[in-house]
Amino acid sequence: CNADCSLREAITAAGVGDTITFNGALVGQTITLSSILAPVTQNITIDGSGMDITLDCNSSPLINVGLNIIGNGINVIGINVTRCTNGIMVTGNDINVSGSLVTASSSNGVLVSGNNASLDGTIVSAGENCIKVVASDGSVDGLTVTNSTLSDCQAGILFVATTSASNVVIDSNYIFATTESLINIQGGSGQVIQNNAFGERSDGTASTFTGGV
């Protein structure tokens, strides 16, 4: 990419091992998407640390995802995503999302179908599900959610169509103001759920934890 490379161009041009960073002039700016970004396919890092940059889908039904991560070994750091159907979609394996903010999703804040996804220090607020995990073959191997805040969703973390959810670590998070459940896991083994703080549902009644331990 040249000096005025857009995020769209950078995602397309990036090769294995590259890091996408942002011009300092973009601090605090919002990038309103007019169409879906290309999926992230290469093993790269998208680093918005300290920039407070927001990707805004503008609630458009034509833009169903803010960041679509389909490759393996990709890192997303310090990116804000708002007003998308799905804020971040993860279908690749060994994906790390950290220090990010996902808000006002009409469906899912983070939608995961790959293995060994990790979310750390991330805030997900407002949506049908803050984090939804869907397994096409019925099994999920590896999900880590740490030091994150999940709120104002129907479910904090929801596993769907999973007969086996293994090697799941949910540690040191704050989950509150859900309308249905805090964490819902069905089946599997090797699950560690510890050191989390749980708040009331949005109507003031006690939230529920279902399955998995």
Side-chain angles (χ1 to χ4, degrees):
C1 269
N2 54 28
D4 62 352
C5 182
S6 68
L7 176 59
R8 188 181 304 274
E9 292 170 327
I11 289 173
T12 302
V16 173
D18 285 348
T19 297
I20 296 174
T21 57
F22 297 85
N23 189 301
L26 292 175
V27 170
Q29 297 297 306
T30 295
I31 300 172
T32 301
L33 302 178
S34 58
S35 60
I36 297 174
L37 293 172
V40 184
T41 60
Q42 301 285 352
N43 178 357
I44 65 171
T45 295
I46 302 175
D47 189 354
S49 300
M51 295 294 294
D52 191 27
I53 290 176
T54 299
L55 303 181
D56 186 354
C57 294
N58 201 28
S59 300
S60 170
L62 301 178
I63 306 175
N64 68 342
V65 59
L67 277 177
N68 186 11
I69 303 171
I70 67 174
N72 299 326
I74 294 164
N75 301 300
V76 176
I77 306 168
I79 299 294
N80 304 333
V81 183
T82 192
R83 298 199 298 172
C84 303
T85 304
N86 299 288
I88 300 175
M89 289 178 59
V90 175
T91 57
N93 298 323
D94 304 307
I95 307 302
N96 299 297
V97 177
S98 63
S100 295
L101 173 67
V102 183
T103 60
S105 303
S106 61
S107 187
N108 304 292
V110 181
L111 178 61
V112 179
S113 59
N115 293 320
N116 297 316
S118 173
L119 281 81
D120 180 68
T122 290
I123 297 172
V124 184
S125 177
E128 288 184 7
N129 305 290
C130 289
I131 300 172
K132 182 177 179 179
V133 182
V134 179
S136 59
D137 63 356
S139 64
V140 172
D141 185 6
L143 173 71
T144 300
V145 183
T146 53
N147 306 306
S148 295
T149 299
L150 314 176
S151 71
D152 300 288
C153 301
Q154 289 181 14
I157 303 174
L158 175 66
F159 286 72
V160 175
T162 55
T163 56
S164 176
S166 301
N167 300 311
V168 173
V169 177
I170 301 173
D171 189 356
S172 302
N173 304 288
Y174 182 32
I175 307 175
F176 69 100
T178 60
T179 58
E180 294 183 1
S181 61
L182 295 162
I183 302 169
N184 190 327
I185 303 176
Q186 302 298 328
S189 61
Q191 300 161 4
V192 178
I193 301 174
Q194 63 185 11
N195 304 318
N196 300 287
F198 299 125
E200 293 180 334
R201 290 164 49 141
S202 56
D203 63 1
T205 60
S207 290
T208 59
F209 169 81
T210 305
V213 178

